Amino acid sequence: MKIKKAVILAAGFGTRMLPASKVVPKELLPVLDTPAIQLVVEEIAASGISDIIMVISRGKGALLDHFAPAPELERFLAQRGKHELLEVVRKTSTMARIAAVEQREALGIGHAVLQVKEAVGNEPFAVLLPDDICDCPRPCLRQLMDVAEEREAPVVALMRVARAEVSKYGIVEGPQIAPRLYRMTGMVEKPPVEQAPSEMAIIGRYLLPPEIFAILERARPGHGGEIQLTDALLELARRGDLYGYEFVGARYDMGDRLGFLTAQIAYGLRHPQTADKLRSYLKSILS
Ligand code: G1P
């Protein structure tokens, strides 16, 4: 499983973050000063992948603009000797090669993945959901690539969640076979609490084989009437090995108010320009 391409699914309406996401694609909403989608592109680049395919929908062209060169801005910064900022801006267009594919109808994550069939071709690939920001000592995607290279099989990222939260996630089942590593035997998209097979949830990082496309082509609508990637993964697990890896690190759900807020606080408590003052502020309001 040598992965050379990564797919970012960014076609959703972002309804959970309205009205902020009405005009601005929710993936451009920042953690401090950096759009969430840039953090995801940085994770991909840090994992050693430089080819990215972004699945977008109408009205979300700003996502591509963010990663395009900005000659006027760059000239302006260069003329004023603002070299650090110039580097910050240049990095956005040099980090990776980004191509886009349009998803014309909002028919679900599985349907979004199907849109990159031609662009990916007959090779394994990574899928990332940019709502999930992973803050890890070793990039989350790289952790999955280590597993896939060792096991020669597809793998998805897992995280343990509270029982009360299972109906927000794809929930998996299967035996643990090594530290943090599980062999997947079952999975269900957003089950009611009483029907959840475990508290292990799929997080938006997947390494998939090209066979997933044929499975998705035949897929029927699942949870919410949408073509679900989770259902296709279950089919994949039935055909051969599929692993789940409980990644090392933290995850923030940027598509959710609380997740958005906790991401700002976590990154703010680390950023040299905000850490000390934010810590004192939090202490003062909590005491
Ligand atoms: C998606 C997936 C779900 C997964 C989740 C992780 O759901 O369908 O299986 O657990 O991402 O964030 P969404 O949050 O897009 O509804």
Side-chain angles (χ1 to χ4, degrees), residues 16 109 129 132 168-170 189-190 202-204 206 228 230 251:
R16 289 184 297 166
I109 292 179
L129 307 183
D132 288 331
K168 291 186 186 166
Y169 297 95
E189 181 68 11
K190 305 197 173 85
I202 301 175
I203 292 310
Y206 312 78
Q228 295 294 348
T230 304
R251 168 260 187 186

Side-chain angles (χ1 to χ4, degrees), residues 153-225:
V155 52
V156 300
L158 300 179
M159 181 180 89
R160 193 171 290 283
V161 299
R163 190 81 196 162
E165 302 276 296
V166 289
S167 55
K168 291 186 186 166
Y169 297 95
I171 300 294
V172 303
E173 74 181 303
Q176 184 168 6
I177 55 165
R180 296 185 170 270
L181 190 63
Y182 298 78
R183 182 178 289 116
M184 306 284 81
T185 54
M187 63 202 64
V188 48
E189 181 68 11
K190 305 197 173 85
V193 176
E194 56 290 351
Q195 282 167 33
S198 77
E199 280 131 43
M200 289 301 262
I202 301 175
I203 292 310
R205 301 289 184 273
Y206 312 78
L207 296 187
L208 302 173
E211 290 77 41
I212 199 80
F213 295 122
I215 297 175
L216 286 168
E217 268 165 345
R218 286 195 312 274
R220 302 239 180 87
H223 182 88

